[in-house]
């Protein structure tokens, strides 16, 4: 259903037919002012390749004339190519594709691992985990939609010296009741402080780390309990946020411990790593600068980095993966770069396997500073979710207080608040920081989750008033485009494939941008087309179909963002 693709192919074939196999850089823009599509950059290619302009343009003209979908092609000097398409034809194309599963959009299937969320044990999830969790889940959805096998992995931070401290504290102060994560988090905080100032306690902690490594039964039991409590809490958050991660997706850092000695040995043998003062190090280069990464400490301990290397080797083998995607914040950019180059050098993955780090910016408070509590701690996710739900509830109670009962208001507030948080995050350019602004998130005018929900419910209600629904009107009716706005909507609909494919490369905000465009077009359409009053049945049904397709697209796109639609607001 991708008209730009038809245009690209036509142009490509022309270049192929004259001589060259090169991939040229020219752009096709959808245009609503002077034509339907515009091709830019052809004249530059003609000049560069010393081709004959008249000859090429004539060829282009002829080729486009032959295709039934194009009505007219106008080339104005020095080389503006304007393409006009047939209104009737575009309706037919859409009629055909909306019947096919996912509008016929798919890619060649690949196995793709995606590493996201990955919080640490003994702590509740905080604001720093929000972006990785939401972005990762959405990118996973998009890739799945395109037909890939997506393996979602939660690289849980369930190993490390912190357990020594926590266990030392529990043992020393005979803490028996560790039934919730808050108790553990408090113990962790206190133990961390004591560890720094008290050598005796520090030694005790180290002793427990060793015991944990040696799999001492009693110690393992406490460790497992701490993990279990953390996971339970995280799962609650995932459920609230409608995130697809469950226990099954966890392959934590602890899992790889058994592989670490042989990995370090192998890297030394391959001369990728070297030993200095009993420490094992790896040198990597980036833009002529040299960086050093430790993979084994003097005392024999392994690190986060060693685990990382092992995890890639494991994932490649186990999942026959073509791609591993990381959603980890920008601060770990250099670190992951180092890891990727080590793994490639050691040939732990095939040459074709891609390792991709999608980094992202920070969430800021209203003063533009990193979001922290007064004590400088990270704000818990639970807390900001609650705050957003409360703010939503205030608005909804005010508007709907005498129509809906308390229970209904609670339910809607919750759904809208979650969609607002997720949509706001996903609508921002991934790389940039953004301010967590609840008021803006909840706006019913801008590119927000609630606005999309509202547009969707509006369509549902129009369909209902006309005694139909999305499924029925798509199935039964035919598109018969009767004005310019409908035509523009149709052109936008045919962009869906390109949008979804582009967004799958780590950019869900492209979907949000698209949604905003198409819902804005719908609003315009709605203002000028009173469907109920239309006498001509075919035209009326076509309009109902058109808005049904818009609703279907909203629903699909929101589901790719991990947001459920409401039927009523
Ligand atoms: N647990 C880490 C942290 O909270 C994030 C892990 C990200 N994933 C990875 N494979 N390194 O900083």
């Amino acid at each position: 259903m991708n008209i730009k693709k038809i245009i690209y192919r036509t142009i490509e074939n022309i270049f192929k037919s004259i001589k060259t196999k090169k991939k040229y850089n020219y752009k096709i823009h959808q245009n609503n002012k002077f034509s339907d599509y515009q091709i830019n950059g052809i004249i530059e290619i003609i000049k560069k390749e010393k081709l004959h302009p008249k000859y090429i343009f004539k060829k282009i003209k002829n080729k486009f004339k032959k295709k039934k979908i194009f009505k007219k092609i106008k080339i104005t000097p020095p080389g503006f190519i304007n393409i006009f398409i047939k209104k009737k034809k575009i309706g037919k194309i859409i009629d055909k594709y909306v019947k096919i599963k996912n509008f016929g959009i798919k890619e060649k299937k690949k196995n793709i691992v995606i590493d996201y969320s990955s919080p640490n044990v003994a702590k509740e999830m905080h604001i720093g985990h929000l972006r990785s969790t939401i972005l990762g889940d959405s990118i996973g959805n998009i890739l799945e939609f395109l037909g890939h096998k997506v393996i979602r992995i939660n690289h849980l931070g369930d190993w490390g010296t912190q357990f020594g401290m926590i266990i030392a504290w529990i043992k020393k102060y005979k803490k028996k009741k560790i039934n919730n994560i808050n108790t553990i988090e408090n113990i962790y905080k206190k133990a961390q402080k004591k560890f720094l100032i008290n050598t005796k306690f520090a030694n005790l902690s180290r002793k427990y780390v060793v015991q944990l490594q040696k799999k001492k039964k009693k110690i393992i039991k406490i460790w497992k309990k701490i993990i279990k409590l953390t996971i339970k809490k995280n799962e609650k958050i995932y459920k609230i946020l409608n995130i697809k991660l469950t226990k099954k997706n966890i392959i934590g850092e602890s899992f790889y411990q058994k592989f670490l000695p042989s990995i370090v040995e192998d890297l030394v043998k391959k001369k990728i790593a070297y030993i200095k003062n009993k420490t094992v190090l790896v040198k990597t280069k980036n833009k002529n600068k040299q960086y050093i990464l430790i993979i084994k400490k003097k005392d024999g301990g392994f690190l986060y980095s060693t685990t990382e290397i092992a995890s890639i080797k494991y994932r490649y083998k186990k999942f026959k993966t073509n791609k591993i995607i990381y959603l980890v914040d920008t601060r770990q950019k250099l670190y992951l770069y180092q890891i990727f180059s080590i793994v490639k050098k050691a040939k732990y993955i095939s040459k074709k396997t891609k390792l991709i780090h999608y980094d992202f910016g920070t969430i800021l408070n209203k003063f533009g500073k990193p979001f922290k509590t007064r004590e400088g701690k990270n704000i818990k996710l639970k807390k900001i979710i609650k705050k957003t739900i409360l703010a939503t509830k205030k608005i909804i109670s005010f508007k709907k207080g005498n129509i809906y009962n308390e229970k209904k208001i609670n339910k809607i507030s919750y759904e809208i608040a979650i969609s607002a948080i997720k949509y706001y995050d996903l609508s921002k350019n991934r790389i940039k920081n953004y301010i967590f602004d609840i008021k803006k998130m909840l706006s019913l005018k801008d590119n927000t989750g609630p606005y999309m929900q509202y547009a969707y419910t509006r369509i549902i209600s129009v369909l209902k008033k006309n005694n139909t629904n999305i499924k029925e009107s798509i199935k039964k009716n035919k598109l018969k485009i009767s004005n310019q706005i409908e035509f523009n909507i149709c052109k936008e609909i045919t962009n869906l494939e390109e949008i979804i494919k582009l967004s799958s490369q780590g950019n869900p905000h492209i979907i949000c941008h698209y949604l905003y465009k198409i819902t804005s077009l719908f609003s315009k359409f709605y203002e000028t087309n009173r469907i109920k009053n239309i006498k001509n049945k075919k035209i009326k049904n076509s309009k109902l179909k058109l808005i049904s397709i818009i609703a279907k697209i909203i629903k699909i796109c929101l589901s790719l963002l991990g947001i459920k639609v409401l039927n009523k607001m």
Side-chain angles (χ1 to χ4, degrees), residues 204-393:
L204 187 69
S205 303
R206 287 193 194 101
K207 193 184 103 184
Y208 282 118
V209 174
V210 176
Q211 288 198 13
L212 184 64
Q213 279 163 349
K214 287 194 177 145
K215 304 234 154 68
K216 282 266 172 3
K217 250 196 187 144
K218 273 188 185 159
I219 305 303
I220 288 280
K221 208 175 144 194
I222 304 174
W223 172 71
K224 277 197 171 150
K225 175 139 196 206
I226 299 172
I227 293 176
K228 202 173 152 190
L229 288 170
T230 313
I231 292 177
K232 206 169 142 195
K233 199 81 185 188
N234 293 350
E235 281 195 320
K236 253 192 194 159
I237 297 275
Y238 292 147
K239 196 155 178 227
I240 291 171
L241 285 176
N242 190 25
I243 296 295
K244 296 210 170 75
L245 294 173
T246 67
K247 263 186 212 113
K248 285 185 197 139
N249 300 95
I250 296 174
I251 309 182
E253 291 178 31
S254 66
F255 173 79
Y256 304 101
Q257 297 308 309
K258 51 186 178 281
F259 306 126
L260 305 187
S262 65
I263 288 224
V264 171
E265 209 176 282
D266 184 54
L267 288 174
V268 172
K269 208 172 83 195
K270 285 179 176 151
K271 298 215 161 53
I272 294 166
Y274 64 99
I275 304 168
K276 194 173 167 186
N277 297 335
K278 285 190 180 160
T279 309
V280 186
L281 310 143
V282 185
K283 269 188 201 156
T284 49
K285 244 187 181 175
N286 185 14
K287 292 187 191 129
N288 287 329
K289 264 195 187 159
Q290 226 174 36
Y291 298 95
I292 287 172
L293 187 76
I294 304 176
I295 57 169
K296 191 177 172 186
K297 288 189 289 188
K298 214 182 197 161
D299 64 10
F302 299 104
L303 296 106
Y304 177 56
S305 58
T306 336
T307 310
E308 199 84 71
I309 295 168
S311 74
I312 296 179
K313 192 172 178 217
Y314 175 81
R315 289 167 184 182
Y316 174 69
K317 248 189 140 163
K318 169 94 182 168
F319 303 111
K320 308 203 170 19
T321 175
N322 312 88
K323 210 186 247 185
I324 308 179
I325 294 171
Y326 290 82
L327 278 126
V328 180
D329 75 68
T330 306
R331 288 170 302 176
Q332 295 190 38
K333 201 174 174 100
L334 173 65
Y335 158 76
L336 280 175
Y337 172 82
Q338 290 175 300
I339 297 290
F340 293 172
S341 34
I342 294 168
V343 174
K344 283 178 205 160
K345 232 192 213 167
K347 297 202 167 72
Y348 289 160
I349 53 169
S350 76
K351 265 201 180 133
K352 276 193 200 145
T353 307
K354 290 201 177 92
L355 300 170
I356 301 170
H357 178 200
Y358 290 140
D359 56 337
F360 48 82
T362 316
I363 301 179
L364 308 171
N365 64 17
K366 58 179 177 223
F367 306 110
K369 295 265 156 34
F371 218 148
K372 299 257 156 119
T373 62
R374 246 179 259 142
E375 300 85 46
K377 296 265 153 48
N378 283 316
I379 302 226
K380 289 186 176 158
L381 267 187
K382 188 174 75 181
K383 218 169 175 174
I384 57 161
I385 292 172
K386 230 184 193 167
K387 213 173 146 186
T388 316
I389 295 177
L390 270 176
T392 316
K393 197 175 158 186

Side-chain angles (χ1 to χ4, degrees), residues 6 92 110 118 123 133 145 201 269 288 300 326 338 382 385 407 413 422 424 454 489 495 515 517 526 565 567 569:
I6 301 176
K92 269 198 178 150
K110 285 190 178 135
S118 310
K123 273 188 193 167
T133 306
F145 179 89
F201 183 76
K269 208 172 83 195
N288 287 329
Y326 290 82
Q338 290 175 300
K382 188 174 75 181
I385 292 172
K407 206 174 148 197
S413 309
K422 292 182 87 172
Y424 201 68
Y454 179 59
I489 290 174
N495 286 336
L515 274 175
K517 243 186 186 169
Y526 190 65
V565 288
N567 285 322
M569 234 164 115

